[in-house]
Amino acid sequence: MSKPDSVDLSAFTVPGTGRGVFDVFGYRYLLRLLVRKGILTRYHGSALGWAWSYVKPAAQFLIYYLVMGVFLGLNRGIEAFPVYLFSGIVVVNLFNEAFGNATRSIVNNRALVKKIYLPRELFPIADVFIAFVHFLPQLTILIAVCLFSGWAPSLVQLAGALLAIVIILLIATGLGLLFGSINVTFRDSQNLVELILMFATYTSPVLYSFQMVENKLPPWLFDLYMMNPVTAAVELFHSAFWFPTTSGSAARPEHLWLISALAIVIAIVALVVGQLVFRRLEGRFAQDL
Amino acid sequence: MPRTSEPPLPRIIIEGVRKTYTLRHTHSFKETFVAWLRRKKVSTSFDALQHIDLTVGESEAVALLGYNGSGKSTLLKLVSGVLRPDRGRVLTRGRVAGLIEVGAGFHPDLSGRENVYLNAAILGMSKTEIDARFDEIVEFSEIGEFIDTEVKHYSSGMFVRLAFSVAIHTELDILLVDEVLAVGDAPFREKCKAKIRELVAAGKTLFIVSHDLSMVAELCSRGLVLRRGELVYDGAIDDAIDQLKAITR
Ligand SMILES: Nc1ncnc2c1ncn2[C@@H]1O[C@H](COP(=O)(O)OP(=O)(O)OP(=O)(O)O)[C@@H](O)[C@H]1O
Ligand SMILES: [Mg+2]
């Protein structure tokens, strides 16, 4: 047997090591196929198929509207309450779907993770993309509703909506990497995430306006509330979709751009932390699953 | 630089590798916490491989033999990168295609065609490479007109034939095969053997785990015997088979 020290090792690689999320760019084609697979098999065997992507948010919207708006009469303070409600709900839906699926994705793909080496970040990232694709029908409905209500947004407002989507996708990826990698050894993680997602609708101004919070909370707590990246994204959506359909007299949060910039920073920090923890735990995925 | 003047580079280098599995006795935060409070052990460790040293060169067909639980699959997973060694190092040169289990990436609700693309991409092929080889893959698998049927309607043999066909047509330098040739009917197995010989003749490295000793004797020139995580024999295939028969589990 040849002594390994005597051979030139420059052509060799250590199997199973990658560059984390950056490797995903090298696997663009596979990422595309994984996303396609997720989309094709989502409504497999159902007669309505993709129509469900429209039915579900519409039903959710109807429930909230009836309970919150009609029965509880919470809409009195908010003009065009249905549009307000819906433009916030779609943002939280995107966050819930992306974060929830990304958390479960390593466990769901255990057959592959255990048998073939791939940059494992591919799975949560593919799930975030799939969530985004499922968000598009909801966005379409929202735009239709807005147009119906005489929507004429400015370019800045539209840019804000785009920024909101970026914030949500980044933070969902970061948190998904973090909780998804812990989930391999401790399935408690996915239950904890379900709990977080349950709160997400209520900890952002979706069913009420930010002013109601401002009136009740001490200033420092309100600032903390506004620092939630999901809140920033929801308010960006309100500004882009709901506000242009109103008479323009409703109050908007001060410093919305500052809050959004902060949200981007928080999302990037979450992504970095998620990736670091993921890489730390990745070595044990195949044996712990 | 003329290549002939240098000694041929190996394809796989395994140096002082040990793999320890931790067997957890707890599976939730709560259990871990309770065990920690009571000062009970949360896990025990188990050496699945201990100090393995090995090099495999180009054009070599190596059989990895051993009884159940001797650590064969573990060694293959270390070479493919699915697992990482706890001590020592594993180095590979070129593209590794691991057939740890055929069809691991197959989705039952997708058609054969879609699964071919998905699985080939999982094994590291680009779209152009798959496009170029698609017809060859289908022809080899003898799936024929069923290629556009969902794979959940395939017989188990058809499923394995298609999966194996994808793997064997990927662009590879090192092929890892774990116990997958036992499926498929006799004619298909003959075809697989011929294809494997062709790959070895083309300079590819083959690392194969099998309990089918007669097939291994036909395909491989070198045999390794593992026993309880230790490499107890490395040499000619016929001697390796004799060694295996002589040892106990
Ligand atoms: N993920 C794991 N966690 C804990 N122990 C494991 C794990 N995988 C394998 N083992 C243990 O390591 C040992 C070697 O397993 P391995 O799968 O490598 O055996 P093998 O030689 O492939 O056996 P077989 O012939 O049955 O396929 C076994 O005792 C097994 O219980
Ligand atoms: Mg095995």
Side-chain angles (χ1 to χ4, degrees), chain A residues 53-71 75 80-90 93 138 141-142 144-146 148-149 201 206-207 242:
Chain A
S53 281
Y54 293 87
V55 171
K56 281 187 215 159
Q60 188 190 14
F61 164 69
L62 211 66
I63 295 273
Y64 279 141
Y65 176 65
L66 280 178
V67 174
M68 295 287 159
V70 180
F71 301 158
N75 56 345
F81 188 61
V83 182
Y84 181 86
L85 206 52
F86 197 55
S87 52
I89 287 175
V90 294
N93 279 352
Q138 303 184 32
I141 295 191
L142 176 63
V145 170
C146 287
F148 194 70
S149 325
T201 321
V206 175
L207 307 174
W242 164 73

Side-chain angles (χ1 to χ4, degrees), chain A residues 114 286-289, chain B residues 21-23 46-49 66-75 77 83 178-179 209 211 226:
Chain A
K114 278 169 80 170
Q287 62 204 60
D288 280 351
L289 275 169
Chain B
Y21 284 123
T22 333
L23 304 171
F46 165 76
D47 284 345
L49 288 177
Y67 294 117
N68 293 144
S70 53
K72 305 182 297 296
S73 301
T74 303
L75 187 55
K77 285 180 183 174
L83 293 174
D178 193 347
E179 208 62 71
V209 168
H211 292 289
L226 275 179

Side-chain angles (χ1 to χ4, degrees), chain B residues 5-242:
Chain B
S5 65
E6 294 171 15
L9 276 178
R11 280 279 176 207
I12 307 172
I13 300 176
I14 298 174
E15 267 176 18
V17 161
R18 164 190 289 180
K19 182 71 210 172
T20 308
Y21 284 123
T22 333
L23 304 171
R24 300 185 146 271
H25 304 308
T26 58
H27 292 281
S28 67
F29 292 141
K30 179 183 144 248
E31 281 172 19
T32 310
F33 185 66
V34 170
W36 177 77
L37 278 184
R38 295 189 180 158
R39 291 167 200 285
K40 273 206 310 199
K41 273 178 115 178
V42 273
S43 59
T44 45
S45 62
F46 165 76
D47 284 345
L49 288 177
Q50 25 202 318
H51 212 86
I52 306 289
D53 273 306
L54 183 66
T55 44
V56 182
E58 281 177 19
S59 262
E60 258 195 290
V62 181
L64 191 53
L65 307 173
Y67 294 117
N68 293 144
S70 53
K72 305 182 297 296
S73 301
T74 303
L75 187 55
L76 238 56
K77 285 180 183 174
L78 285 168
V79 175
S80 73
V82 169
L83 293 174
R84 292 179 191 164
D86 292 296
R87 193 163 302 166
R89 60 175 177 177
V90 178
L91 295 170
T92 55
R93 185 168 59 89
R95 286 167 87 163
V96 181
L99 263 179
I100 306 292
E101 186 180 288
V102 278
F106 271 49
H107 194 290
D109 288 338
L110 293 178
S111 72
R113 180 186 303 274
E114 280 158 342
N115 269 308
V116 167
Y117 275 88
L118 182 62
N119 246 44
I122 285 171
L123 292 173
M125 292 226 287
S126 68
K127 180 160 187 344
T128 23
E129 283 173 333
I130 308 172
D131 282 337
R133 295 193 187 179
F134 184 81
D135 292 336
E136 219 181 311
I137 291 173
V138 177
E139 194 192 298
F140 187 87
S141 70
E142 297 168 29
I143 293 293
E145 66 211 10
F146 284 98
I147 192 66
D148 286 312
T149 310
E150 292 159 10
V151 298
K152 65 180 171 195
H153 299 309
Y154 284 15
S155 74
S156 35
M158 282 162 71
F159 181 85
V160 169
R161 266 173 13 213
L162 187 61
F164 190 77
S165 178
V166 173
I168 217 162
H169 285 89
T170 51
E171 192 60 55
L172 56 87
D173 299 303
I174 300 169
L175 179 64
L176 309 171
V177 185
D178 193 347
E179 208 62 71
V180 289
L181 292 171
V183 279
D185 49 20
F188 188 72
R189 285 175 69 178
E190 282 310 313
K191 220 163 108 175
C192 288
K193 284 187 209 166
K195 182 76 191 176
I196 286 178
R197 284 200 197 92
E198 203 180 287
L199 288 176
V200 173
K204 314 293 184 194
T205 297
L206 180 70
F207 212 136
I208 180 170
V209 168
S210 181
H211 292 289
D212 182 348
L213 297 181
S214 63
M215 189 199 68
V216 155
E218 270 181 71
L219 282 177
C220 303
S221 49
R222 178 173 165 197
L224 309 171
V225 181
L226 275 179
R227 177 169 180 265
R228 294 186 192 165
E230 276 177 275
L231 190 60
V232 294
Y233 184 81
D234 180 356
I237 183 71
D238 296 326
D239 298 335
I241 291 175
D242 292 339

